[in-house]
Amino acid sequence: MTTMTETSARFREFKMPDVGEGLTEAEILKWYVQPGDTVTDGQVVCEVETAKAAVELPIPFDGVVHELRFPEGTTVDVGQVIIAVDVVPGGGEAAEPVAPAAAEPEPGAEPEAPKGRQPVLVGYGVAESSTKRRARKGTEPPAAAAAAIQGELNGHATVAADVPAPTVGTVVPESRPLAKPPVRKLAKDLGIDLATVTPTGPGGIITREDVHAAAAPVPAPASVPTAPAAVAEAVAVPVAATPVPGARETRIPVKGVRKAIAQAMVGSAFTAPHVTEFVTVDVTRMMKLVAELKEDKDMAGVRVNPLLIIAKALLVAIKRNPEVNAAWDEADQEIVQKHYVNLGIAAATPRGLIVPNIKDAHDKTLPQLAAALGELVTTAREGKTSPAAMAGGTVTITNVGVFGVDTGTPILNPGESAILAVGAIKLQPWVHKGKVKPRQVTTLALSFDHRLVDGELGSKVLADVAAILEQPKRLITWA
Protein backbone atom coordinates (compact mmCIF):
# COMPACT_ATOMS: atom_id res chain seq x y z
CA MET A 1 0.00 0.00 0.00
CA THR A 2 1.31 3.40 -0.91
CA THR A 3 0.28 6.70 0.63
CA MET A 4 -0.47 8.50 -2.60
CA THR A 5 -2.14 7.73 -5.91
CA GLU A 6 -2.63 9.51 -9.24
CA THR A 7 -6.20 9.84 -10.54
CA SER A 8 -5.00 11.79 -13.57
CA ALA A 9 -1.94 13.70 -14.65
CA ARG A 10 -3.40 16.65 -12.75
CA PHE A 11 -4.72 15.31 -9.44
CA ARG A 12 -2.86 13.25 -6.86
CA GLU A 13 -4.29 11.64 -3.75
CA PHE A 14 -2.66 11.16 -0.38
CA LYS A 15 -3.70 8.15 1.69
CA MET A 16 -3.71 7.68 5.44
CA PRO A 17 -0.32 6.10 6.18
CA ASP A 18 0.52 3.60 8.91
CA VAL A 19 1.91 6.15 11.35
CA GLY A 20 2.79 3.44 13.84
CA GLU A 21 3.98 -0.06 13.13
CA GLY A 22 0.95 -2.24 12.46
CA LEU A 23 -1.76 0.30 13.34
CA THR A 24 -4.91 0.06 11.23
CA GLU A 25 -6.67 3.39 11.78
CA ALA A 26 -6.17 6.97 12.95
CA GLU A 27 -8.43 9.87 13.86
CA ILE A 28 -8.04 13.20 12.08
CA LEU A 29 -7.61 15.72 14.90
CA LYS A 30 -6.97 18.88 12.90
CA TRP A 31 -6.59 20.05 9.32
CA TYR A 32 -3.91 22.69 8.78
CA VAL A 33 -5.00 23.34 5.18
CA GLN A 34 -8.27 23.95 3.36
CA PRO A 35 -9.31 23.60 -0.30
CA GLY A 36 -7.53 26.25 -2.36
CA ASP A 37 -4.45 26.39 -0.12
CA THR A 38 -1.05 25.90 -1.72
CA VAL A 39 1.05 23.08 -0.25
CA THR A 40 4.68 22.13 -0.74
CA ASP A 41 6.55 18.85 -0.47
CA GLY A 42 7.08 18.05 3.21
CA GLN A 43 4.47 20.52 4.50
CA VAL A 44 2.37 19.28 7.43
CA VAL A 45 -1.26 19.16 6.32
CA CYS A 46 -2.97 17.54 9.28
CA GLU A 47 -2.56 16.06 12.75
CA VAL A 48 -3.88 12.57 13.43
CA GLU A 49 -4.20 10.54 16.59
CA THR A 50 -3.56 6.83 16.61
CA ALA A 51 -3.96 4.37 19.44
CA LYS A 52 -0.47 5.40 20.54
CA ALA A 53 0.12 9.09 19.93
CA ALA A 54 -0.70 12.24 18.02
CA VAL A 55 1.32 12.58 14.81
CA GLU A 56 1.61 15.33 12.20
CA LEU A 57 1.44 14.18 8.57
CA PRO A 58 3.50 15.90 5.84
CA ILE A 59 2.39 15.67 2.22
CA PRO A 60 5.01 14.38 -0.27
CA PHE A 61 4.30 16.64 -3.26
CA ASP A 62 3.53 20.24 -4.30
CA GLY A 63 0.21 21.61 -5.47
CA VAL A 64 -3.08 23.21 -4.48
CA VAL A 65 -5.49 21.45 -2.12
CA HIS A 66 -8.49 20.35 -4.16
CA GLU A 67 -10.47 18.31 -1.64
CA LEU A 68 -10.44 17.12 1.97
CA ARG A 69 -12.09 13.71 2.05
CA PHE A 70 -12.85 13.59 5.80
CA PRO A 71 -13.70 16.20 8.44
CA GLU A 72 -11.91 16.60 11.75
CA GLY A 73 -12.93 14.02 14.32
CA THR A 74 -13.30 11.22 11.78
CA THR A 75 -11.54 7.89 12.30
CA VAL A 76 -10.03 6.75 9.01
CA ASP A 77 -8.63 3.35 8.07
CA VAL A 78 -5.02 3.13 6.95
CA GLY A 79 -4.93 3.25 3.14
CA GLN A 80 -7.99 5.48 2.68
CA VAL A 81 -7.54 8.68 0.67
CA ILE A 82 -7.73 11.71 2.97
CA ILE A 83 -6.79 14.59 0.66
CA ALA A 84 -6.63 15.31 -3.08
CA VAL A 85 -4.17 17.85 -4.49
CA ASP A 86 -4.17 19.61 -7.85
CA VAL A 87 -0.52 19.32 -8.90
CA VAL A 88 -1.10 21.32 -12.12
CA PRO A 89 -3.12 24.30 -10.86
CA GLY A 90 -4.64 26.41 -13.62
CA GLY A 91 -4.10 23.59 -16.10
CA GLY A 92 -7.61 23.79 -17.55
CA GLU A 93 -10.55 21.45 -17.17
CA ALA A 94 -9.83 18.02 -15.80
CA ALA A 95 -11.82 15.21 -14.33
CA GLU A 96 -12.12 15.50 -10.59
CA PRO A 97 -10.59 12.75 -8.49
CA VAL A 98 -13.04 10.12 -7.36
CA ALA A 99 -12.63 7.97 -4.30
CA PRO A 100 -11.68 4.47 -5.45
CA ALA A 101 -14.42 1.94 -5.08
CA ALA A 102 -13.95 -1.01 -2.81
CA ALA A 103 -12.89 -3.98 -4.89
CA GLU A 104 -15.29 -6.89 -4.63
CA PRO A 105 -14.62 -10.32 -6.10
CA GLU A 106 -16.84 -11.56 -8.88
CA PRO A 107 -18.89 -14.67 -8.11
CA GLY A 108 -16.66 -17.69 -8.57
CA ALA A 109 -13.52 -15.61 -8.95
CA GLU A 110 -10.43 -16.57 -7.01
CA PRO A 111 -9.34 -14.01 -4.42
CA GLU A 112 -5.98 -12.38 -4.97
CA ALA A 113 -3.07 -13.75 -3.04
CA PRO A 114 -2.31 -11.62 0.04
CA LYS A 115 0.51 -9.18 -0.45
CA GLY A 116 3.31 -8.50 2.00
CA ARG A 117 4.03 -5.26 3.82
CA GLN A 118 4.30 -2.25 1.56
CA PRO A 119 6.29 0.91 2.19
CA VAL A 120 4.35 3.83 3.65
CA LEU A 121 5.24 7.35 4.69
CA VAL A 122 5.85 6.49 8.34
CA GLY A 123 6.73 3.08 9.82
CA TYR A 124 6.84 -0.24 8.05
CA GLY A 125 3.20 -0.44 7.11
CA VAL A 126 0.66 -3.19 7.60
CA ALA A 127 0.22 -6.29 5.53
CA GLU A 128 -2.81 -6.24 3.29
CA SER A 129 -5.54 -8.53 4.51
CA SER A 130 -6.29 -11.59 2.45
CA THR A 131 -9.91 -11.47 3.63
CA LYS A 132 -12.27 -10.15 0.96
CA ARG A 133 -15.80 -8.95 1.56
CA ARG A 134 -18.27 -11.39 0.03
CA ALA A 135 -20.17 -10.09 -2.98
CA ARG A 136 -23.85 -9.49 -2.40
CA LYS A 137 -26.15 -11.83 -4.27
CA GLY A 138 -28.21 -10.53 -7.17
CA THR A 139 -28.12 -7.12 -8.72
CA GLU A 140 -29.23 -3.89 -7.13
CA PRO A 141 -29.74 -0.39 -8.49
CA PRO A 142 -27.10 2.27 -7.81
CA ALA A 143 -27.50 3.26 -4.15
CA ALA A 144 -27.92 6.83 -3.08
CA ALA A 145 -25.22 8.31 -0.88
CA ALA A 146 -27.41 8.17 2.21
CA ALA A 147 -28.28 4.54 1.62
CA ALA A 148 -24.61 3.70 1.23
CA ILE A 149 -23.74 5.46 4.48
CA GLN A 150 -26.60 3.78 6.35
CA GLY A 151 -25.52 0.44 4.92
CA GLU A 152 -22.03 0.99 6.29
CA LEU A 153 -23.54 1.81 9.68
CA ASN A 154 -25.44 -1.47 9.58
CA GLY A 155 -22.27 -3.32 8.60
CA HIS A 156 -23.44 -4.80 5.31
CA ALA A 157 -22.94 -2.16 2.63
CA THR A 158 -21.19 -2.33 -0.69
CA VAL A 159 -19.49 0.71 -2.16
CA ALA A 160 -20.72 1.67 -5.62
CA ALA A 161 -18.25 3.14 -8.07
CA ASP A 162 -20.64 5.92 -9.06
CA VAL A 163 -21.08 7.21 -5.52
CA PRO A 164 -18.32 9.71 -4.70
CA ALA A 165 -17.02 9.92 -1.16
CA PRO A 166 -18.56 12.72 0.95
CA THR A 167 -16.38 15.81 0.87
CA VAL A 168 -15.97 18.63 3.34
CA GLY A 169 -18.72 21.18 2.88
CA THR A 170 -21.13 18.78 1.11
CA VAL A 171 -24.63 18.03 2.37
CA VAL A 172 -25.41 14.37 1.90
CA PRO A 173 -28.96 13.72 0.65
CA GLU A 174 -30.93 11.17 2.59
CA SER A 175 -34.06 9.12 2.33
CA ARG A 176 -34.30 8.59 6.07
CA PRO A 177 -32.31 9.79 9.11
CA LEU A 178 -28.85 8.24 9.38
CA ALA A 179 -28.18 6.30 12.59
CA LYS A 180 -26.58 3.09 13.75
CA PRO A 181 -28.90 0.22 14.73
CA PRO A 182 -28.28 0.64 18.51
CA VAL A 183 -29.18 4.33 18.22
CA ARG A 184 -32.37 3.46 16.33
CA LYS A 185 -33.31 1.00 19.08
CA LEU A 186 -32.64 3.63 21.75
CA ALA A 187 -34.87 6.10 19.92
CA LYS A 188 -37.61 3.49 19.63
CA ASP A 189 -37.38 2.64 23.33
CA LEU A 190 -37.61 6.33 24.26
CA GLY A 191 -40.41 6.99 21.78
CA ILE A 192 -38.33 9.46 19.76
CA ASP A 193 -38.94 10.01 16.05
CA LEU A 194 -35.49 10.17 14.46
CA ALA A 195 -36.85 12.55 11.83
CA THR A 196 -37.23 15.17 14.58
CA VAL A 197 -33.70 14.76 15.92
CA THR A 198 -30.95 17.18 14.96
CA PRO A 199 -27.85 15.14 14.05
CA THR A 200 -24.40 16.24 15.26
CA GLY A 201 -22.29 13.26 14.17
CA PRO A 202 -19.94 13.33 11.17
CA GLY A 203 -21.83 13.26 7.87
CA GLY A 204 -25.18 13.97 9.51
CA ILE A 205 -25.26 10.77 11.59
CA ILE A 206 -27.52 10.79 14.64
CA THR A 207 -25.69 9.81 17.84
CA ARG A 208 -26.88 8.56 21.22
CA GLU A 209 -26.33 12.05 22.63
CA ASP A 210 -28.65 13.48 19.98
CA VAL A 211 -31.41 11.06 20.99
CA HIS A 212 -30.94 11.77 24.69
CA ALA A 213 -31.00 15.50 23.95
CA ALA A 214 -34.29 15.09 22.09
CA ALA A 215 -35.73 13.11 25.01
CA ALA A 216 -34.53 15.55 27.67
CA PRO A 217 -37.25 17.78 29.21
CA VAL A 218 -35.90 21.03 27.80
CA PRO A 219 -37.74 23.61 25.70
CA ALA A 220 -37.71 22.61 22.06
CA PRO A 221 -37.39 25.09 19.18
CA ALA A 222 -40.46 25.92 17.10
CA SER A 223 -39.23 23.89 14.17
CA VAL A 224 -36.67 21.15 14.17
CA PRO A 225 -34.63 20.79 10.97
CA THR A 226 -34.83 17.33 9.53
CA ALA A 227 -32.08 17.71 6.97
CA PRO A 228 -28.75 16.34 8.07
CA ALA A 229 -26.06 18.80 9.08
CA ALA A 230 -23.41 19.50 6.47
CA VAL A 231 -20.09 17.82 6.95
CA ALA A 232 -18.53 21.27 7.27
CA GLU A 233 -20.84 21.95 10.23
CA ALA A 234 -19.93 18.59 11.73
CA VAL A 235 -16.29 19.65 11.65
CA ALA A 236 -17.08 22.40 14.14
CA VAL A 237 -18.67 19.97 16.61
CA PRO A 238 -16.22 19.08 19.41
CA VAL A 239 -15.01 15.50 19.37
CA ALA A 240 -15.59 15.10 23.11
CA ALA A 241 -19.22 14.68 24.13
CA THR A 242 -20.75 17.83 25.65
CA PRO A 243 -23.12 17.34 28.61
CA VAL A 244 -26.70 18.14 27.62
CA PRO A 245 -28.62 20.30 30.14
CA GLY A 246 -31.06 18.09 31.98
CA ALA A 247 -29.53 14.84 30.71
CA ARG A 248 -28.72 12.24 33.36
CA GLU A 249 -25.91 10.61 31.39
CA THR A 250 -23.18 11.62 28.93
CA ARG A 251 -21.67 9.08 26.57
CA ILE A 252 -18.12 9.63 25.33
CA PRO A 253 -16.85 7.68 22.29
CA VAL A 254 -14.02 5.32 23.15
CA LYS A 255 -11.23 5.91 20.64
CA GLY A 256 -7.63 6.96 20.24
CA VAL A 257 -5.40 6.71 23.29
CA ARG A 258 -8.30 5.84 25.62
CA LYS A 259 -9.28 2.90 23.41
CA ALA A 260 -5.68 1.69 23.33
CA ILE A 261 -5.39 1.97 27.12
CA ALA A 262 -8.56 -0.02 27.62
CA GLN A 263 -7.51 -2.81 25.26
CA ALA A 264 -4.00 -2.98 26.69
CA MET A 265 -5.11 -3.06 30.32
CA VAL A 266 -7.80 -5.68 29.75
CA GLY A 267 -5.37 -7.78 27.73
CA SER A 268 -2.69 -7.51 30.40
CA ALA A 269 -4.96 -8.10 33.39
CA PHE A 270 -6.50 -11.25 31.89
CA THR A 271 -3.35 -12.65 30.28
CA ALA A 272 -0.53 -12.17 32.78
CA PRO A 273 -1.12 -13.50 36.32
CA HIS A 274 -0.30 -10.46 38.43
CA VAL A 275 1.33 -10.54 41.84
CA THR A 276 1.91 -7.32 43.79
CA GLU A 277 4.24 -6.91 46.77
CA PHE A 278 4.66 -3.86 48.98
CA VAL A 279 7.38 -2.35 51.13
CA THR A 280 7.51 0.84 53.19
CA VAL A 281 10.92 2.46 53.37
CA ASP A 282 12.70 5.39 55.02
CA VAL A 283 13.99 7.57 52.17
CA THR A 284 15.38 10.42 54.26
CA ARG A 285 18.94 9.82 53.04
CA MET A 286 17.73 9.65 49.44
CA MET A 287 16.06 13.06 49.82
CA LYS A 288 19.31 14.47 51.19
CA LEU A 289 21.15 13.06 48.16
CA VAL A 290 18.63 14.72 45.85
CA ALA A 291 19.23 18.06 47.53
CA GLU A 292 23.01 17.64 47.20
CA LEU A 293 22.81 16.64 43.53
CA LYS A 294 20.81 19.76 42.73
CA GLU A 295 23.87 21.76 43.77
CA ASP A 296 26.35 19.55 41.92
CA LYS A 297 27.89 21.25 38.87
CA ASP A 298 27.90 17.94 36.97
CA MET A 299 24.09 17.93 37.19
CA ALA A 300 23.69 21.51 36.00
CA GLY A 301 21.05 21.95 33.33
CA VAL A 302 19.14 18.74 34.15
CA ARG A 303 16.25 18.16 36.49
CA VAL A 304 17.08 16.27 39.67
CA ASN A 305 14.20 14.77 41.63
CA PRO A 306 13.39 11.61 43.64
CA LEU A 307 12.19 9.82 40.47
CA LEU A 308 15.72 10.01 39.07
CA ILE A 309 17.20 8.16 42.06
CA ILE A 310 14.33 5.65 42.10
CA ALA A 311 14.88 4.93 38.40
CA LYS A 312 18.60 4.39 38.99
CA ALA A 313 17.82 2.15 41.96
CA LEU A 314 15.52 -0.01 39.83
CA LEU A 315 18.17 -0.31 37.11
CA VAL A 316 20.73 -1.48 39.69
CA ALA A 317 18.22 -3.97 41.14
CA ILE A 318 17.62 -5.37 37.64
CA LYS A 319 21.37 -5.69 37.12
CA ARG A 320 21.58 -7.72 40.33
CA ASN A 321 18.53 -9.80 39.34
CA PRO A 322 18.60 -9.94 35.53
CA GLU A 323 16.03 -12.74 35.28
CA VAL A 324 13.28 -10.23 36.09
CA ASN A 325 13.91 -8.39 32.83
CA ALA A 326 12.12 -10.81 30.51
CA ALA A 327 9.04 -11.36 28.37
CA TRP A 328 6.66 -14.26 27.80
CA ASP A 329 6.40 -15.53 24.22
CA GLU A 330 3.09 -17.36 24.12
CA ALA A 331 3.35 -18.37 20.46
CA ASP A 332 6.72 -20.12 20.83
CA GLN A 333 6.27 -21.04 24.49
CA GLU A 334 9.55 -19.36 25.42
CA ILE A 335 10.78 -16.91 28.03
CA VAL A 336 12.73 -14.14 26.33
CA GLN A 337 15.38 -12.67 28.62
CA LYS A 338 16.32 -9.09 27.72
CA HIS A 339 19.94 -8.02 28.04
CA TYR A 340 18.95 -4.36 27.83
CA VAL A 341 16.55 -2.20 29.80
CA ASN A 342 14.11 0.13 28.07
CA LEU A 343 12.74 1.89 31.14
CA GLY A 344 9.12 2.98 30.78
CA ILE A 345 7.78 6.01 32.66
CA ALA A 346 4.00 6.21 32.94
CA ALA A 347 2.86 9.74 32.09
CA ALA A 348 -0.59 11.28 32.46
CA THR A 349 -1.39 13.52 29.48
CA PRO A 350 -4.53 15.36 28.33
CA ARG A 351 -5.13 12.49 25.88
CA GLY A 352 -4.76 9.83 28.56
CA LEU A 353 -2.07 7.59 30.01
CA ILE A 354 0.96 6.86 27.86
CA VAL A 355 4.16 4.96 28.68
CA PRO A 356 7.15 6.20 26.70
CA ASN A 357 10.43 4.55 27.55
CA ILE A 358 14.09 5.46 27.79
CA LYS A 359 16.01 3.24 25.38
CA ASP A 360 19.02 1.40 26.84
CA ALA A 361 18.55 3.11 30.19
CA HIS A 362 20.95 0.60 31.79
CA ASP A 363 23.89 2.14 29.88
CA LYS A 364 23.24 5.74 30.93
CA THR A 365 25.13 7.71 33.56
CA LEU A 366 23.13 9.61 36.17
CA PRO A 367 23.33 12.93 34.24
CA GLN A 368 22.35 11.16 31.01
CA LEU A 369 19.44 9.44 32.75
CA ALA A 370 18.30 12.78 34.20
CA ALA A 371 18.42 14.41 30.76
CA ALA A 372 16.48 11.54 29.19
CA LEU A 373 13.81 11.69 31.91
CA GLY A 374 13.42 15.43 31.46
CA GLU A 375 13.07 15.13 27.68
CA LEU A 376 10.60 12.26 28.01
CA VAL A 377 8.33 14.15 30.42
CA THR A 378 8.43 17.38 28.41
CA THR A 379 7.62 15.61 25.15
CA ALA A 380 4.73 13.71 26.76
CA ARG A 381 3.18 16.86 28.23
CA GLU A 382 3.35 18.57 24.85
CA GLY A 383 1.59 15.61 23.25
CA LYS A 384 4.48 14.98 20.87
CA THR A 385 5.52 11.51 21.99
CA SER A 386 6.10 9.32 18.92
CA PRO A 387 4.87 5.73 18.62
CA ALA A 388 8.49 4.55 18.48
CA ALA A 389 9.14 6.13 21.88
CA MET A 390 6.41 3.96 23.39
CA ALA A 391 7.48 0.68 21.78
CA GLY A 392 9.83 -1.94 23.17
CA GLY A 393 9.61 -1.23 26.89
CA THR A 394 10.84 -3.89 29.32
CA VAL A 395 9.95 -2.55 32.80
CA THR A 396 8.01 0.51 33.93
CA ILE A 397 7.82 3.00 36.80
CA THR A 398 4.54 4.74 37.67
CA ASN A 399 4.74 7.62 40.14
CA VAL A 400 1.32 7.78 41.81
CA GLY A 401 2.84 9.77 44.66
CA VAL A 402 2.52 13.00 42.67
CA PHE A 403 -1.24 12.75 43.30
CA GLY A 404 -0.76 12.33 47.07
CA VAL A 405 -1.52 8.59 46.87
CA ASP A 406 0.35 6.23 49.21
CA THR A 407 0.57 3.35 46.72
CA GLY A 408 -1.43 1.14 44.36
CA THR A 409 -1.50 -2.19 42.57
CA PRO A 410 -0.30 -1.26 39.07
CA ILE A 411 -1.20 -3.32 36.01
CA LEU A 412 1.66 -4.47 33.83
CA ASN A 413 2.31 -2.73 30.55
CA PRO A 414 1.64 -5.43 27.90
CA GLY A 415 4.77 -7.38 27.02
CA GLU A 416 6.63 -6.34 30.16
CA SER A 417 7.50 -8.36 33.24
CA ALA A 418 7.31 -5.81 36.06
CA ILE A 419 6.07 -2.37 37.03
CA LEU A 420 7.08 -0.36 40.10
CA ALA A 421 4.60 2.03 41.70
CA VAL A 422 6.03 4.82 43.86
CA GLY A 423 3.84 6.39 46.53
CA ALA A 424 3.91 9.84 48.07
CA ILE A 425 6.92 10.73 50.20
CA LYS A 426 5.63 11.97 53.55
CA LEU A 427 7.08 12.99 56.90
CA GLN A 428 6.10 10.22 59.33
CA PRO A 429 7.13 8.95 62.78
CA TRP A 430 9.77 6.26 62.27
CA VAL A 431 12.02 4.26 64.56
CA HIS A 432 15.55 5.39 63.72
CA LYS A 433 18.53 4.25 65.78
CA GLY A 434 16.24 3.12 68.58
CA LYS A 435 14.25 6.34 68.79
CA VAL A 436 11.03 7.54 67.22
CA LYS A 437 11.87 10.42 64.89
CA PRO A 438 10.18 12.20 61.99
CA ARG A 439 11.54 10.70 58.78
CA GLN A 440 10.74 10.90 55.07
CA VAL A 441 8.87 7.68 54.26
CA THR A 442 7.31 6.19 51.13
CA THR A 443 5.66 2.94 50.05
CA LEU A 444 6.72 0.98 46.98
CA ALA A 445 4.61 -1.61 45.15
CA LEU A 446 6.01 -4.03 42.59
CA SER A 447 3.64 -5.93 40.29
CA PHE A 448 5.13 -8.74 38.24
CA ASP A 449 4.12 -11.48 35.82
CA HIS A 450 4.05 -14.66 37.89
CA ARG A 451 4.65 -16.78 34.78
CA LEU A 452 8.09 -15.20 34.55
CA VAL A 453 8.88 -14.04 38.03
CA ASP A 454 8.62 -16.23 41.11
CA GLY A 455 7.87 -14.74 44.48
CA GLU A 456 11.48 -15.02 45.57
CA LEU A 457 12.80 -13.14 42.55
CA GLY A 458 10.14 -10.43 42.79
CA SER A 459 10.86 -10.00 46.50
CA LYS A 460 14.60 -9.64 45.86
CA VAL A 461 14.07 -6.95 43.26
CA LEU A 462 11.73 -4.94 45.49
CA ALA A 463 13.99 -5.37 48.51
CA ASP A 464 17.03 -4.19 46.53
CA VAL A 465 15.22 -1.05 45.36
CA ALA A 466 14.14 -0.30 48.93
CA ALA A 467 17.65 -0.92 50.29
CA ILE A 468 19.18 1.51 47.77
CA LEU A 469 16.66 4.23 48.57
CA GLU A 470 17.30 3.78 52.28
CA GLN A 471 21.09 3.76 51.81
CA PRO A 472 21.89 5.50 48.49
CA LYS A 473 25.62 4.65 48.85
CA ARG A 474 24.60 1.20 47.59
CA LEU A 475 24.32 2.82 44.15
CA ILE A 476 28.12 2.79 44.27
CA THR A 477 28.82 -0.46 46.10
CA TRP A 478 26.26 -2.50 44.12
CA ALA A 479 26.71 -0.86 40.73
Side-chain angles (χ1 to χ4, degrees):
M1 166 173 43
T2 59
T3 59
M4 58 185 176
T5 59
E6 291 192 41
T7 56
S8 70
R10 177 171 176 179
F11 293 101
R12 299 180 76 176
E13 296 174 333
F14 180 64
K15 297 180 179 180
M16 176 68 74
D18 175 15
V19 295
E21 297 185 15
L23 297 180
T24 60
E25 63 182 16
E27 178 187 352
I28 299 175
L29 293 181
K30 183 177 180 61
W31 281 108
Y32 295 123
V33 296
Q34 294 297 325
D37 291 350
T38 300
V39 294
T40 57
D41 186 357
Q43 178 180 337
V44 173
V45 294
C46 68
E47 181 182 24
V48 301
E49 182 181 47
T50 68
K52 294 183 177 181
V55 180
E56 293 182 332
L57 297 184
I59 199 159
F61 43 80
D62 302 336
V64 175
V65 177
H66 176 74
E67 179 184 24
L68 304 182
R69 289 289 175 86
F70 296 95
E72 294 173 357
T74 304
T75 298
V76 181
D77 290 337
V78 168
Q80 283 191 284
V81 176
I82 59 175
I83 183 173
V85 174
D86 184 351
V87 295
V88 189
E93 296 294 327
E96 294 190 358
V98 179
E104 300 218 4
E106 295 295 332
E110 292 295 328
E112 293 183 3
K115 300 178 180 179
R117 289 182 178 268
Q118 301 295 322
V120 295
L121 182 64
V122 182
Y124 296 105
V126 292
E128 293 190 22
S129 173
S130 60
T131 304
K132 300 293 182 181
R133 180 177 292 176
R134 184 177 59 188
R136 302 183 69 176
K137 296 181 179 179
T139 58
E140 56 183 73
I149 295 176
Q150 185 60 54
E152 288 293 335
L153 294 176
N154 293 335
H156 53 69
T158 57
V159 182
D162 59 345
V163 180
T167 59
V168 174
T170 302
V171 177
V172 180
E174 63 175 355
S175 57
R176 63 170 181 162
L178 302 178
K180 294 182 179 180
V183 176
R184 292 186 178 280
K185 183 178 185 303
L186 174 63
K188 181 179 180 181
D189 293 341
L190 296 178
I192 301 298
D193 182 1
L194 288 178
T196 66
V197 178
T198 302
T200 62
I205 297 174
I206 296 175
T207 67
R208 283 180 173 271
E209 290 72 30
D210 298 334
V211 175
H212 283 297
V218 294
S223 61
V224 180
T226 58
V231 177
E233 295 175 0
V235 174
V237 178
V239 176
T242 302
V244 178
R248 293 168 62 86
E249 295 180 350
T250 299
R251 290 180 173 266
I252 302 173
V254 179
K255 53 187 177 181
V257 174
R258 175 53 55 190
K259 182 178 180 180
I261 293 171
Q263 292 173 341
M265 293 300 97
V266 170
S268 177
F270 292 97
T271 300
H274 285 55
V275 173
T276 305
E277 295 186 339
F278 307 87
V279 64
T280 302
V281 58
D282 177 3
V283 295
T284 305
R285 290 188 179 91
M286 181 199 74
M287 296 303 290
K288 290 180 180 179
L289 175 61
V290 170
E292 292 173 0
L293 288 174
K294 288 181 178 180
E295 304 299 326
D296 193 313
K297 63 179 183 180
D298 291 332
M299 303 297 289
V302 296
R303 185 178 181 185
V304 178
N305 55 22
L307 180 60
L308 172 62
I309 307 302
I310 294 168
K312 193 65 175 179
L314 179 57
L315 293 171
V316 172
I318 292 172
K319 183 177 181 180
R320 286 167 53 84
N321 305 275
E323 297 85 358
V324 75
N325 190 38
W328 183 273
D329 188 335
E330 181 66 28
D332 293 334
Q333 287 295 293
E334 293 177 340
I335 294 175
V336 183
Q337 291 191 348
K338 310 288 180 69
H339 304 303
Y340 59 92
V341 181
N342 290 346
L343 181 62
I345 305 294
T349 72
R351 289 190 176 94
L353 176 69
I354 63 174
V355 189
N357 60 75
I358 300 172
K359 309 299 184 187
D360 294 324
H362 63 290
D363 281 339
K364 297 188 182 299
T365 63
L366 196 63
Q368 290 172 341
L369 186 62
L373 276 171
E375 181 181 357
L376 178 148
V377 172
T378 300
T379 304
R381 287 175 178 172
E382 294 175 351
K384 297 181 179 179
T385 303
S386 67
M390 292 182 283
T394 60
V395 295
T396 291
I397 296 176
T398 177
N399 185 9
V400 297
V402 296
F403 306 109
V405 175
D406 290 334
T407 191
T409 54
I411 296 178
L412 293 169
N413 206 30
E416 299 182 9
S417 60
I419 179 171
L420 178 70
V422 182
I425 298 174
K426 299 178 179 179
L427 197 64
Q428 296 183 16
W430 192 266
V431 178
H432 178 68
K433 296 182 179 179
K435 297 181 180 180
V436 177
K437 297 182 179 181
R439 304 285 287 183
Q440 299 277 10
V441 176
T442 190
T443 299
L444 307 174
L446 182 72
S447 291
F448 50 86
D449 186 342
H450 215 348
R451 297 173 301 177
L452 297 161
V453 183
D454 294 332
E456 178 185 10
L457 177 58
S459 299
K460 286 182 177 179
V461 172
L462 184 59
D464 280 356
V465 174
I468 293 171
L469 301 185
E470 186 175 22
Q471 293 283 356
K473 66 182 182 181
R474 291 190 171 103
L475 284 173
I476 300 174
T477 58
W478 286 359

